[in-house]
Every structure is written in C-alpha cells, then in structure tokens.
Amino acid sequence: MDPAKLAKLQAAAAANRIGGKGTVRRKVVRKTKAPAQDDKKLQAALKKLNVQPIPGVEEVNMFKEDGNVLHFTAPKVHAAVSANTFAIYGTGQNKELTELVPGILNQLGPDSLASLRKLAESYQAIQQSQQRPQAADEEDDDDVPDLVENFDAVEEKKEEKEEEKLD
C-alpha cells in the first residue's frame, strides 16, 4: 500500500473518530441532577404511605429536648391522619428558642414552657450578674481605700539611706 494514501486514510479516520484510543478527552463533566431524583423517590415513598398534601402551611417548628428548635420556613407537608404519619420536607434550620420566642408562644406545650421559664431565669441571672460588677465598681469608687503601709516609715527609711550615703 502507498504511504501517502495510508496517511490520507489515517487523517480522515482521526477527523471522524468518536471515541477510543487517541481521542481528545471531554473537558466539561456533566453532573446528573440528584435532587430531582431524590424528589421522585420521595414522592414514590409518600405514595406508598398513602399520604395527602396539606396546603397552606407557612412554617413548622420541631422542639428538641436541648432547648433548640428545628425551624422550617414554607415546607411541603404531607399527612396520613389515620396512620398518624406526617412528612415534612424543605430546608430546615437549627435555631435557639429565644430567636423565635414572640411568634411561637402559642405553639409551646407544657414541656417547652418549662424549658422557656428556665431559659428566662438563666437569662435574668446573666443580666443581673453583669449589672452587679458595675454597681460594685461604683461603690468602690466612692469609698476611700484602706492604708496598707505606713508611708511615714517608708519616708524615714529613705531619708536614713540618703544620710548614710552622704557620710
């Protein structure tokens, strides 16, 4: 076979090559959309539980034992009331109870109210302890400090040392 013809065929094959050894690698990596797949899997699991969507839920708060709250804003809520099953999904945030206090007082149960009282008492104790040192400092400024040393004796010792140096 003629070397010129062979080179011509190789050049034509390289231009039409789709894959295999010697091809240029792809530079952009295509990522699959995992959240859409998770959402489809979630919807399938919810259908198996026979839950129905509940529209119009603005926020959901889940109270933890440590005093924190798992807070969902505009979540998707599904429920099967007969099975006492609720599914809440969306973006949740861990917040402290004090951050949400004015708006969630009507949601608090007896356990949460007790923890809220403890939290309020500890908050008041912290504020009082911060105010006490300031008040103590003000009182100390008004008082005259006690004399620890006899300043006359120290002055006399200095004078004696100076006299000894002069002699």
Side-chain angles (χ1 to χ4, degrees), residues 88-105:
I88 301 166
Y89 58 102
T91 306
Q93 300 170 342
N94 281 324
K95 293 189 176 183
E96 290 188 21
L97 190 59
T98 54
E99 295 177 32
L100 302 170
V101 165
I104 63 168
L105 286 177

Side-chain angles (χ1 to χ4, degrees), residues 13 55 59 87 97 141 155:
E59 69 176 6
L97 190 59
D141 291 342
E155 188 66 30

Side-chain angles (χ1 to χ4, degrees), residues 132-146:
R132 284 181 189 160
Q134 293 172 355
D137 291 342
E138 291 172 4
E139 291 173 6
D140 290 343
D141 291 342
D142 294 339
D143 294 338
V144 177
D146 296 332

Side-chain angles (χ1 to χ4, degrees), residues 59-63 69-73 88 100 103-104 107:
E59 69 176 6
V60 174
N61 295 315
M62 294 183 182
F63 300 95
V69 178
L70 185 58
H71 179 74
F72 293 91
T73 306
I88 301 166
L100 302 170
I104 63 168
Q107 299 174 8

